[in-house]
Amino acid sequence: MGVDSKDNKDEGAGDQGIMFGYACNETEELMPAPIHYSHKILRLMAEDRKSGSLKGIEPDSKSQVTMLYENEKPVKVTSVVISTQHSKDLNQEKVRDSIIPYIKKSIPKNFLTDLDPKEIYINPTGQFIIGGPDGDTGLTGRKIIVDTYGGAAPHGGGAFSGKDPTKVDRSAAYASRYLAKNIVAAGVSDKCLIQLAYAIGISKPLSIFIKLADEDEEKVSNIKKIIENNFNLSPRGIREMLKLNNPIYEITSAYGHFGRKHTDKGEFSWEKIDKVDLFK
């Protein structure tokens, strides 16, 4: 027996769970720098591969950027790992030469000044010719950290992909990112973590937890009141607020669900910063 809504009443959450949203001012997209640059490397590679200017590199690829933080700010890249599928005609030296320029294009020069070339790992296990489902298949829900914040913030554990927007695993994670991003964009804090907790059959969140960079409790209390008075965080309220019932999810299958640009088609509606004045 599921949880539904009749006579325009709010349906309860379909399951219990805790969802997180996060934003920080490390990048223009208000995302943690390491995951942002990891995605950017792969996006630029894909663009050139599809245009034909990057030859011999195949679609299956993943990246990882590790950065040193001082005083909670990223100061330099300490290592980069990129594994990419390639044609059998390319040896590993040619693969490396093809990929290195994308690291330099994607990451600001000041972060790369002290990067030891030995800490750039391109296909560290050797050739990578068989990729995609032929090489490694699995269930929906793998790699949930690369879909979110790269480990910079907690994750509730529920995968987004494969779930419809009535599931708070997905919709409440989007809503909490939406709130956190607008709070940081408003200049309230350098970073913001929002946690929403739900119980099965209950429409409103059981709790709203907010953590700011300066941990100012009075500021947190004020933000919480703004959220409670202006945002309907029930499953239905979130879907209507972010227009999640529309077919907008295909584009989320690559490069993560956050730090993206919202489109005229309604994709990435949770990335809008249209509530800045409210939080200011």
Side-chain angles (χ1 to χ4, degrees):
M1 183 175 179
V3 177
D4 61 6
S5 174
K6 293 181 180 179
D7 301 323
N8 206 34
K9 294 179 181 178
D10 249 338
E11 78 267 26
D15 200 355
Q16 67 186 52
I18 300 172
M19 292 79 208
F20 294 91
Y22 182 73
C24 61
N25 61 6
E26 294 175 15
T27 61
E28 289 184 6
E29 292 76 9
L30 304 184
M31 287 288 285
I35 190 70
H36 170 73
Y37 297 130
S38 294
H39 285 314
K40 188 174 182 180
I41 290 169
L42 299 185
R43 283 201 308 271
L44 294 181
M45 287 171 55
E47 288 170 6
D48 285 356
R49 178 179 56 78
K50 292 173 182 177
S51 71
S53 59
L54 178 59
K55 301 184 183 301
I57 300 300
E58 303 295 341
D60 194 351
S61 59
K62 58 184 177 180
S63 65
Q64 180 174 298
V65 175
T66 304
M67 302 187 73
L68 175 68
Y69 279 66
E70 292 180 355
N71 298 318
E72 299 190 8
K73 295 289 185 182
V75 294
K76 67 178 181 179
V77 173
T78 57
S79 68
V80 179
V81 184
I82 301 174
S83 295
T84 183
Q85 184 186 8
H86 58 88
S87 75
K88 62 180 183 300
D89 299 323
L90 290 188
N91 60 33
Q92 292 310 298
E93 184 178 352
K94 290 182 178 179
V95 171
R96 184 180 179 88
D97 290 343
S98 297
I99 300 305
I100 292 293
Y102 292 93
I103 298 174
K104 297 178 179 179
K105 288 179 188 177
S106 303
I107 303 175
K109 187 176 180 180
N110 60 297
F111 287 142
L112 296 174
T113 303
D114 297 329
L115 179 59
D116 185 343
K118 293 180 181 179
E119 294 298 324
I120 300 176
Y121 303 93
I122 310 295
N123 286 7
T125 59
Q127 67 177 21
F128 180 4
I129 296 172
I130 300 174
D134 285 345
D136 188 8
T137 59
L139 300 174
T140 297
R142 298 171 66 206
K143 310 297 184 187
I144 57 176
I145 293 303
V146 80
D147 268 346
T148 54
Y149 308 103
H155 189 290
F160 307 149
S161 299
K163 291 189 173 76
D164 69 75
T166 67
K167 303 295 189 291
V168 285
D169 278 353
R170 187 169 205 162
S171 60
Y174 290 167
S176 52
R177 161 66 177 174
Y178 179 57
L179 295 171
K181 186 174 183 181
N182 275 272
I183 289 167
V184 173
V188 174
S189 177
D190 288 347
K191 57 185 178 181
C192 176
L193 174 70
I194 292 188
Q195 174 193 324
L196 302 176
Y198 289 84
I200 188 167
I202 308 299
S203 63
K204 303 295 184 182
L206 300 181
S207 70
I208 301 173
F209 172 80
I210 302 166
K211 183 176 182 181
L212 303 178
D214 58 10
E215 299 186 352
D216 184 327
E217 290 302 322
E218 183 178 355
K219 191 186 293 184
V220 167
S221 179
N222 290 334
I223 290 173
K224 189 173 181 180
K225 289 176 183 176
I226 291 172
I227 292 173
E228 290 173 342
N229 292 334
N230 292 276
F231 297 90
N232 180 352
L233 297 177
S234 68
R236 174 180 295 211
I238 292 172
R239 293 202 312 277
E240 292 178 350
M241 174 175 67
L242 300 177
K243 297 179 171 57
L244 298 182
N245 288 331
N246 296 327
I248 57 174
Y249 301 104
E250 182 179 5
I251 197 172
T252 64
S253 62
Y255 313 120
H257 292 240
F258 305 124
R260 312 287 295 276
K261 294 188 183 299
H262 64 272
T263 70
D264 293 338
K265 297 178 182 178
E267 296 156 329
F268 301 111
S269 56
W270 51 93
E271 291 295 317
K272 289 183 178 182
I273 48 173
D274 54 356
K275 302 297 182 183
V276 168
D277 290 341
L278 185 64
F279 288 109
K280 280 184 178 178

